[in-house]
Amino acid sequence: ETAKEAHRVCRPDALMAFKWNDHHIKLTKVIELISPYWEPLFGHGISHQQRATGTAWVMLRKRAL
């Protein structure tokens, strides 16, 4: 799993900018899957204006395990 490997190789204070295209799998589902390793800090989901592209971004912080 990519989120687990990124967690393993990153420093304890790591941040990751995460961009997601929401056409097939919803951003909320992806955040749920990576949440054991990464904590969402801020970003934007899919607003009315972004529905055409389906793209969103979130800033993530590495969780301590």
Side-chain angles (χ1 to χ4, degrees):
E1 174 176 316
T2 304
K4 184 177 180 180
E5 181 64 7
H7 185 274
R8 185 186 72 79
V9 300
C10 287
R11 298 182 347 194
D13 58 347
L15 297 175
M16 177 169 50
F18 183 75
K19 185 176 178 182
W20 186 253
N21 188 293
D22 210 30
H23 284 286
H24 298 352
I25 301 172
K26 297 295 181 196
L27 177 63
T28 53
K29 180 63 175 173
V30 174
I31 296 296
E32 178 185 317
L33 292 170
I34 67 173
S35 66
Y37 308 104
W38 297 92
E39 172 188 12
L41 299 176
F42 59 88
H44 72 78
I46 306 302
S47 71
H48 176 70
Q49 294 165 338
Q50 289 132 352
R51 281 197 209 286
T53 63
T55 302
W57 65 270
V58 179
M59 183 61 73
L60 304 168
R61 175 175 46 202
K62 181 179 176 180
R63 290 188 188 268
L65 296 180

